[in-house]
């Protein structure tokens, strides 16, 4: 925990304090490898209050996120790698910060772990979002288009590095064997 920046510790503490489950029991909740992140030095990276919009490939389903996420990570768990072939670049938002903008009826909800749902578009199969057992909404960062009201949200750490398979990490973000 000492390796986390002040902002990372704050976000992690906010996430843990609002979580209804023990952090070590958090299911591998994030999915889909997104395009490479903006490469800025760790000292200049921060969570942003930018508004983000997402649409699936066929544009039938979408969502909007607003404000600073509870957590933004690169998840290396086996579940994410099987689902998306590499680390998942995602952020977890409270339900108040996350709004389905279209296609609610076109989502397939799959319970991949007890109380954890992966939501995909029934037409094109795109990962749209996940719902965690504690109610947080997990949004893919790579497909999100960010407005001009702030910087894009970027991952603050790597999680589940003990489960990363053959992946290698070549950045300066903190790495955690499990969920911190």
């Amino acid at each position: 925990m000492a390796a986390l920046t002040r902002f990372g510790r704050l976000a992690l503490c906010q996430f843990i304090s609002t979580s209804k489950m023990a952090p070590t029991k958090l299911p591998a909740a994030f999915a889909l490898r997104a395009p490479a992140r903006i490469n800025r030095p760790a000292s200049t990276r921060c969570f942003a209050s930018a508004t983000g919009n997402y649409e699936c490939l066929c544009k039938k389903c979408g969502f909007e996120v607003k404000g600073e996420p509870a957590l933004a990570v690169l998840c290396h768990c086996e579940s994410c790698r099987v689902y998306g072939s590499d680390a998942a670049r995602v952020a977890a938002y409270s339900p108040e910060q996350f709004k389905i903008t279209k296609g609610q009826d076109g989502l397939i909800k799959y319970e991949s772990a007890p109380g954890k749902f992966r939501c995909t578009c029934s037409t094109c199969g795109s990962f749209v979002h996940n719902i965690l057992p504690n109610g947080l909404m997990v949004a893919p960062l790579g497909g999100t288009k960010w407005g001009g009201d702030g910087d894009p949200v970027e991952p603050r750490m790597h999680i589940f590095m003990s489960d990363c398979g053959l992946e290698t990490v070549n950045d300066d973000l903190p790495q955690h064997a499990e969920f911190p």
Side-chain angles (χ1 to χ4, degrees), residues 7-29:
F7 295 109
R9 281 194 302 271
L10 175 63
L12 183 58
C13 290
Q14 288 173 332
F15 175 76
I16 291 170
S17 68
T18 59
S19 176
K20 294 180 182 166
M21 45 188 309
T24 56
K25 297 186 190 264
L26 184 70

Side-chain angles (χ1 to χ4, degrees), residues 2-159:
L4 292 176
T5 65
R6 182 173 63 88
F7 295 109
R9 281 194 302 271
L10 175 63
L12 183 58
C13 290
Q14 288 173 332
F15 175 76
I16 291 170
S17 68
T18 59
S19 176
K20 294 180 182 166
M21 45 188 309
T24 56
K25 297 186 190 264
L26 184 70
F30 312 123
L32 189 60
R33 168 69 177 181
R37 66 181 174 82
I38 298 169
N39 193 13
R40 291 195 299 228
S43 60
T44 63
R45 279 188 228 122
C46 62
F47 283 133
S49 58
T51 300
N53 291 284
Y54 175 91
E55 289 181 319
C56 65
L57 289 172
C58 70
K59 308 216 181 291
K60 290 185 179 177
C61 299
F63 65 78
E64 177 182 84
V65 290
K66 287 187 178 186
E68 188 172 312
L71 192 66
V73 301
L74 286 150
C75 182
H76 297 268
C77 75
E78 183 178 13
S79 176
C80 286
R81 290 184 296 107
V82 167
Y83 191 69
S85 81
D86 211 346
R89 187 171 161 247
V90 293
Y93 291 89
S94 71
E96 297 77 31
Q97 296 174 285
F98 183 96
K99 179 176 85 172
I100 296 289
T101 55
K102 59 182 176 178
Q104 178 72 42
D105 295 342
L107 291 174
I108 297 172
K109 261 177 131 175
Y110 168 68
E111 190 170 13
S112 61
K116 190 256 180 188
F117 296 90
R118 292 183 185 271
C119 299
T120 57
C121 175
S122 61
T123 302
C124 67
S126 294
F127 163 52
V128 179
H129 69 92
N130 290 337
I131 305 168
L132 299 181
N134 62 10
L136 290 176
M137 309 296 279
V138 177
L141 292 176
T144 302
K145 293 170 184 69
W146 299 100
D149 58 344
D151 290 329
V153 172
E154 297 180 40
R156 301 292 297 158
M157 67 184 83
H158 295 269
I159 61 174

Side-chain angles (χ1 to χ4, degrees), residues 152-173:
V153 172
E154 297 180 40
R156 301 292 297 158
M157 67 184 83
H158 295 269
I159 61 174
F160 294 105
M161 289 301 298
S162 63
D163 197 19
C164 72
L166 299 175
E167 285 184 273
T168 57
V169 173
N170 298 313
D171 62 30
D172 58 351
L173 296 177

